[in-house]
Amino acid sequence: MFNKLKERWKVNGVSLILIIATFALGGSLCGYAGRKLLLLTNLEKGLLWFVLYIVLITLLWPLCVMLISIPLGQFSFFKRYILRIWGKMSGKSSKKSKNVIKIAIFASGTGSNAEKIIEAATYLLGKENHEAEIMWKVALIVCNKPGAGVLDIALKNNIPTLIIEKERFFNADNYLPELKKYDIGFIVLAGFLWKMPANLIAIYTKKIINIHPALLPKFGGKGMYGSKVHHAVIDAKETESGITIHYVDELYDHGEIIFQAKCPVSDVDTPETLAAKVHLLEHKYYPQVLTDVIH
Ligand code: GRF
């Protein structure tokens, strides 16, 4: 049951405990506050008291859990949770009233993550998935390596591509005109090795995410990419590795961590076998986490 919850909410074990604690403490707090408020009315316990109590705790509950979530470090989870419930109650999550957010994937490798993300978007749009809070689709693939596998994936899926070069990306307009032309609202890095320019980070605040094939903050930073990461993990005799999905800031592999998932590293693992395990996690979770954080 707990594993299912961890997967559904995309959190690790510690966060799950803190989330459950927030539910419990938030529930007790709103029950307590509801009773205290009813004392002010001098009402006797009876049907009216009970109805008012239910109304009060329904109204107080979101406030109380949000309050408790702050010291327990779970504010962003509960903000999303409550917005989702609100969306369902107010019917705002129906597909008709939703705008489709357009994503640019920045990638320069084989593009297996890009492919999984494209599949997930197609699924969400195709099946009219009313569960999804926000609809999104991949509108552009940005790549700095002509001939990279990700470009074939874009072609196969009829997605426009943009090949970028260093000088303009870092020292001129950062290709903003093209991002505007395609109405890009969110950026996903999937095997993109250049830093993001400060200007793009400022414009897309909390709207650029990256995936790293290890458990940050270990094994990240400049030069830590591809099989080098897995070599380093094995050399350090780690017993587990995994993935980290994080917001992007101006440092390599440094922005706020959104999600991590782990896999075991055994004595017989090689960088290749470890890479395969990590890729499985990436393909499973990156589209899900993206769907959760996109706004
Ligand atoms: C992934 O392992 C990801 O963690 C890293 O770059 C790799 C891209 O792989 N940032 P692919 O091109 O998506 O297969």
Side-chain angles (χ1 to χ4, degrees):
M1 176 193 158
F2 288 121
N3 281 341
K4 276 205 173 143
L5 273 182
K6 276 201 283 187
E7 277 199 12
R8 192 179 158 86
W9 289 339
K10 288 157 210 89
V11 293
N12 60 27
V14 178
S15 300
L16 184 68
I17 292 170
L18 291 171
I19 287 167
I20 293 172
T22 309
F23 272 120
L25 292 172
S28 312
L29 179 65
C30 86
Y32 175 79
R35 280 194 299 277
K36 284 279 168 209
L37 282 173
L38 279 176
L39 275 183
L40 300 175
T41 65
N42 290 327
L43 266 179
E44 290 288 317
K45 271 200 183 165
L47 185 65
L48 183 60
W49 185 96
F50 190 68
V51 171
L52 273 178
Y53 180 65
I54 298 288
V55 172
L56 267 179
I57 58 172
T58 310
L59 295 174
L60 287 173
W61 183 81
L63 205 71
C64 293
V65 285
M66 292 306 276
L67 211 68
I68 300 284
S69 70
I70 298 169
L72 294 190
Q74 302 305 313
F75 183 76
S76 57
F77 172 87
F78 278 93
K79 192 176 120 199
R80 270 189 278 135
Y81 187 85
I82 285 169
L83 283 177
R84 194 172 303 163
I85 294 179
W86 177 247
K88 277 188 184 158
M89 280 168 54
S90 61
K92 276 190 187 145
S93 60
S94 83
K95 183 176 181 243
K96 280 195 186 87
S97 62
K98 276 181 222 158
N99 284 330
V100 177
I101 298 181
K102 298 185 186 83
I103 292 176
I105 299 182
F106 284 53
S108 46
T110 53
S112 67
N113 280 286
E115 189 163 37
K116 291 292 166 193
I117 290 170
I118 293 165
E119 277 170 16
T122 310
Y123 170 79
L124 290 176
L125 290 172
K127 300 270 168 117
E128 301 191 7
N129 185 341
H130 292 265
E131 281 284 292
E133 201 178 309
I134 290 173
M135 307 298 288
W136 54 271
K137 70 174 208 170
V138 181
L140 183 65
I141 300 282
V142 179
C143 180
N144 63 321
K145 265 199 193 154
V150 70
L151 296 171
D152 296 330
I153 290 167
L155 190 69
K156 201 172 82 189
N157 289 281
N158 289 320
I159 296 175
T161 55
L162 172 67
I163 306 286
I164 59 173
E165 52 85 29
K166 247 185 186 146
E167 182 56 28
R168 188 173 158 202
F169 189 55
F170 289 108
N171 299 326
D173 63 11
N174 319 120
Y175 290 89
L176 260 178
E178 281 81 354
L179 296 179
K180 283 206 176 120
K181 176 180 152 200
Y182 287 101
D183 191 23
I184 298 304
F186 203 91
I187 294 176
V188 175
L189 310 188
F192 185 70
L193 301 184
W194 291 353
K195 265 190 195 170
M196 290 305 270
N199 190 34
L200 282 189
I201 293 170
I203 291 170
Y204 287 93
T205 307
K206 288 245 168 160
K207 290 185 178 184
I208 309 178
I209 60 172
N210 180 43
I211 189 162
H212 184 76
L215 298 170
L216 293 174
K218 282 178 161 183
F219 309 107
K222 193 168 166 49
M224 270 297 186
Y225 61 86
S227 67
K228 291 183 189 184
V229 178
H230 307 305
H231 268 288
V233 169
I234 288 172
D235 288 350
K237 303 211 179 317
E238 294 287 325
T239 53
E240 52 186 22
S241 188
I243 60 167
T244 304
I245 298 171
H246 63 95
Y247 290 111
V248 170
D249 66 12
E250 286 170 47
L251 302 177
Y252 278 112
D253 306 323
H254 179 265
E256 182 193 335
I257 291 176
I258 305 167
F259 173 81
Q260 292 188 305
K262 292 176 181 173
C263 61
V265 182
S266 75
D267 294 346
V268 291
D269 265 321
T270 62
E272 291 71 31
T273 59
L274 181 53
K277 288 186 200 173
V278 167
H279 254 122
L280 280 180
L281 291 178
E282 293 185 334
H283 297 163
K284 178 171 178 190
Y285 289 113
Y286 208 10
Q288 289 181 21
V289 173
L290 165 62
T291 304
D292 270 4
V293 298
I294 195 164
H295 60 282

